[in-house]
């Protein structure tokens, strides 16, 4: 099965930002594109806007003038639904309301040929529910483009309950022929990206709500320690707080208010106050008008502290093992204790330094936790967590140690799992759960999360790097401290971790 023939015209219904972007993608790929919008004159305005974007592509050397002129002649604003009768595929990008989309596709079904592929670009509604209004839902499929469609490569190809395999394959191959990277997924709330990305926002907001750290510090740790392109607060300001909160609430409600997807009260209050992010000039941060001075809050950064003369390494430090050669390179003596005391660093004061594991500092005598890093050598910032009972000397030695490695240090509250560690653990868990429930393959999930939200690693790449028991152990500890069910590891993650332990002879 191949995608649509380039000689086949396609149609886009809905001439807003997303509809224009999808139309441009199909147009540049070589199709004749009919653009329709229910508002009179809007399709013509959208065609002019697409033409202007094609002009900019020529100016930037990304499209030659002859191809631009050919594309212009293939872009045809439509006056009515009836003008779409000869199209081989019709895709909608209209209002995100189930009744509106169902009514549109019922009308389309009475106009187009039987072999026309009907496609929704919905990001939050059920493909199955939209297609349920059709007499032939087998030819109905979701193609979820990401905004801006001409630039972002990912397309989620969503099969509803009644979608024929041939229709999904045809849509998949068409997206690939258009230069996109398609991933196949079942019709589940949030599909792949909007389902698995929820913890990235949720955990940042939870740390903030617990007064563990301020937005600027949390964002800096996610970027400079976790390797994420943007922090959760600045990213939701860019997306729009209303949009992000709406997606979170939609996924939560679609999963019957599953506690794992619970929206943030702090974000809800932000939306209620009208602070929607960049588009309103205020969100988690302020965005002054052009010409006005921008004042961005700085992340908390610890004052310089004296480095310890030596550290004692107990155990292999697991995902933080690369710290040992870094400490030696910094000229700090490393003593090793091979006895089974755990996996930690012991400082000259006798205090301990341990990788975030879902427990809290207050539970132990003089323990400072440090956060997970994507790459400890390249990380420019490390977060430390301590309780009110932690010795100031121990915290100072821990701070000085990481500063000696060339890192800025942010000290946050006694938050179990800290920032990066709990975020990554939950993303890994959501990914395993999605595979176990037939949402998508491991490969497609990793691809979707890297390309759809620019994660530095896919969830399964993280899982392999960290060790197959790491995420389960951290979430299990978190669940003991918050038994609401929010952090309860999925059965899929439990099976994954237990199978590994069993092969290694463990009975724990």
């Amino acid at each position: 099965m191949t995608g649509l023939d380039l000689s086949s015209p396609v149609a886009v219904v809905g001439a807003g930002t997303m509809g224009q972007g999808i139309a441009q993608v199909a147009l540049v790929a070589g199709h004749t594109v009919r653009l329709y919008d229910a508002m009179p004159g809007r399709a013509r305005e959208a065609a002019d806007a697409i033409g202007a974007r094609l002009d900019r592509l020529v100016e930037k050397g990304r499209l030659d003038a002859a191809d631009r002129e050919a594309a212009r002649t293939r872009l045809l604003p439509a006056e009515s639904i009836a003008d779409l009768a000869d199209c081989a595929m019709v895709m909608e990008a209209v209002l995100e309301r189930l009744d509106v989309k169902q009514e549109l596709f019922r009308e389309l079904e009475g106009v187009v040929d039987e072999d026309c592929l009907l496609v929704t670009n919905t990001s939050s509604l059920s493909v199955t529910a939209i297609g349920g209004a059709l007499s032939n839902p087998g030819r109905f499929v979701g193609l979820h483009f990401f905004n801006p469609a001409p630039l972002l490569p990912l397309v989620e190809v969503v099969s509803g309950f009644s979608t024929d395999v041939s229709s999904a394959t045809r849509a998949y191959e068409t997206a690939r022929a258009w230069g996109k990277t398609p991933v196949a997924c079942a019709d589940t709330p949030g599909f792949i990206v909007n389902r698995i990305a929820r913890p990235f926002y949720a955990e940042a907001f939870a740390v903030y709500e617990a007064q563990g750290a301020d937005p600027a510090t949390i964002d800096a740790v996610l970027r400079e320690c976790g390797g994420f392109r943007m922090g959760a607060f600045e990213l939701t300001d860019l997306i729009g707080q209303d949009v992000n909160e709406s997606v979170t609430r939609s996924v939560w409600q679609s999963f019957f208010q599953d506690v794992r997807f619970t929206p943030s009260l702090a974000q809800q209050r932000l939306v209620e106050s009208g602070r929607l992010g960049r588009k309103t000039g205020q969100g988690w941060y302020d965005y002054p008008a052009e010409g006005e001075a921008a004042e961005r809050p700085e992340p908390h950064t610890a004052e310089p502290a004296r480095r310890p003369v030596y550290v004692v390494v107990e155990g292999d430090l697991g995902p933080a093992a690369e710290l040992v050669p870094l400490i030696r390179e910094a000229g700090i003596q490393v003593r090793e204790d091979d006895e089974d005391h755990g996996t930690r660093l012991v400082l000259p004061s006798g205090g301990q330094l341990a990788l975030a594991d879902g427990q809290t500092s207050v539970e132990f005598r003089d323990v400072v936790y440090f956060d997970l890093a994507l790459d400890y050598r390249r990380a420019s910032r490390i977060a430390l967590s301590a309780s009110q009972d932690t010795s100031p000397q121990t915290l100072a030695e821990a701070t000085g140690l990481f500063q000696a490695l060339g890192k800025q240090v942010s000290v946050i509250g006694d938050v179990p799992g800290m920032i990066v560690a709990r975020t990554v653990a939950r993303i890994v868990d959501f990914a395993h759960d999605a595979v176990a429930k037939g949402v998508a393959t491991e490969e497609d999930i990793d691809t979707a999360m890297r390309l759809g939200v620019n994660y530095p690693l896919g969830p399964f790449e993280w899982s392999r790097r960290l060790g197959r028991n790491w995420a389960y152990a951290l979430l299990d500890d978190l669940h003991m401290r918050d038994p609401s069910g929010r952090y309860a590891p999925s059965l899929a993650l439990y099976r994954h971790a237990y199978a590994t332990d069993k092969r290694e002879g463990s009975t724990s």
Side-chain angles (χ1 to χ4, degrees), residues 21-35:
I22 295 169
Q24 180 179 328
V25 171
L27 193 65
V28 171
H31 289 276
T32 294
V33 177
R34 304 195 200 287
L35 187 59

Side-chain angles (χ1 to χ4, degrees), residues 400-461:
L401 173 64
F402 281 104
Q403 289 174 340
L405 305 185
K407 319 299 182 188
Q408 291 185 305
V409 174
S410 292
V411 180
I412 69 171
D414 190 13
V415 178
M418 300 193 68
I419 298 171
V420 179
R422 68 197 284 176
T423 299
V424 170
R426 291 199 71 207
I427 289 171
V428 167
D429 185 35
F430 275 35
H432 278 280
D433 184 54
V435 169
K437 292 177 178 173
V439 174
T441 65
E442 291 186 9
E443 181 181 4
D444 276 355
I445 287 175
D446 275 356
T447 298
M449 301 314 290
R450 287 196 313 270
L451 298 184
V453 278
N454 289 314
Y455 284 3
L457 294 174
F460 293 97
E461 292 174 313

Side-chain angles (χ1 to χ4, degrees), residues 312-325 327-328 334-345 353-355 370 376 465-467 470 504:
V312 179
V313 178
E314 295 182 349
D316 62 7
L317 298 187
E322 64 180 318
L323 281 175
V324 176
I327 293 170
R328 287 196 174 101
V334 174
R335 304 173 184 175
E336 298 191 18
D337 184 346
D338 294 332
E339 294 188 23
D340 187 16
H341 297 299
T343 56
R344 59 198 175 189
L345 295 168
L353 188 58
L355 176 62
F370 64 93
Y376 282 101
R465 174 182 289 205
L466 297 170
W470 179 84
E504 294 172 355

Side-chain angles (χ1 to χ4, degrees), residues 137-461:
R139 61 167 164 172
F140 187 73
V141 66
L143 279 182
H144 179 214
F145 285 76
F146 288 74
N147 192 29
L151 297 180
L152 296 185
L154 184 70
V155 176
E156 294 176 318
V157 183
V158 187
S159 294
F161 185 79
S162 300
T163 302
D164 292 336
V165 172
S166 60
S167 297
T169 303
R170 193 176 174 202
Y172 185 99
E173 293 301 333
T174 296
R176 185 156 63 179
W178 289 359
K180 298 301 179 181
T181 302
V183 292
C185 66
D187 183 23
T188 185
F191 308 143
I192 297 174
V193 172
N194 280 331
R195 173 178 176 152
I196 295 174
R198 291 350 296 161
F200 179 75
Y201 313 109
E203 293 313 302
F205 298 158
V207 172
Y208 168 74
E209 290 174 342
Q211 301 187 55
D214 60 277
T217 299
I218 296 169
D219 277 354
V221 172
L222 286 168
R223 287 193 316 268
E224 301 168 33
C225 182
F228 292 94
R229 186 76 59 87
M230 298 179 74
F233 295 90
E234 57 190 342
L235 180 55
T236 52
D237 268 357
L238 178 63
I239 294 169
Q241 297 301 331
D242 53 338
V243 174
N244 183 261
E245 201 272 345
S246 176
V247 172
T248 299
R249 189 167 298 277
S250 174
V251 172
W252 173 63
Q253 291 174 339
S254 296
F255 277 114
F256 309 104
Q257 300 186 358
D258 185 332
V259 68
R260 296 177 302 157
F261 297 94
T262 301
S264 162
L265 181 59
Q267 187 181 36
Q268 178 182 312
R269 291 289 180 261
L270 204 67
V271 173
E272 290 171 343
S273 70
R275 298 169 62 103
L276 306 182
R278 289 179 180 270
K279 61 187 176 183
T280 62
Q282 286 184 310
W284 296 110
Y285 303 108
D286 291 338
Y287 301 91
E290 187 175 351
E292 296 180 5
E295 293 186 11
R296 187 70 174 266
E298 293 294 324
H300 168 76
T301 302
E303 294 294 326
R306 182 177 298 177
R307 66 170 62 193
V309 176
Y310 70 90
V311 295
V312 179
V313 178
E314 295 182 349
D316 62 7
L317 298 187
E322 64 180 318
L323 281 175
V324 176
L326 293 181
I327 293 170
R328 287 196 174 101
E329 290 169 19
I332 298 173
Q333 182 184 359
V334 174
R335 304 173 184 175
E336 298 191 18
D337 184 346
D338 294 332
E339 294 188 23
D340 187 16
H341 297 299
T343 56
R344 59 198 175 189
L345 295 168
V346 180
L347 299 164
S349 64
Q352 300 171 19
L353 188 58
L355 176 62
D357 58 6
Q359 301 181 89
T360 56
S361 179
V362 75
E363 300 172 52
F364 305 98
R365 186 185 66 82
D366 217 13
V367 169
V368 173
Y369 280 106
F370 64 93
D371 211 346
L372 177 71
L374 172 67
D375 183 332
Y376 282 101
R377 182 174 292 277
R378 295 184 179 181
S380 58
R381 182 177 298 272
I382 293 292
L384 300 180
S385 174
S387 75
Q388 67 272 19
D389 296 330
T390 303
S391 161
Q393 183 179 357
T394 296
L395 182 57
E397 288 178 343
T399 300
L401 173 64
F402 281 104
Q403 289 174 340
L405 305 185
K407 319 299 182 188
Q408 291 185 305
V409 174
S410 292
V411 180
I412 69 171
D414 190 13
V415 178
M418 300 193 68
I419 298 171
V420 179
R422 68 197 284 176
T423 299
V424 170
R426 291 199 71 207
I427 289 171
V428 167
D429 185 35
F430 275 35
H432 278 280
D433 184 54
V435 169
K437 292 177 178 173
V439 174
T441 65
E442 291 186 9
E443 181 181 4
D444 276 355
I445 287 175
D446 275 356
T447 298
M449 301 314 290
R450 287 196 313 270
L451 298 184
V453 278
N454 289 314
Y455 284 3
L457 294 174
F460 293 97
E461 292 174 313

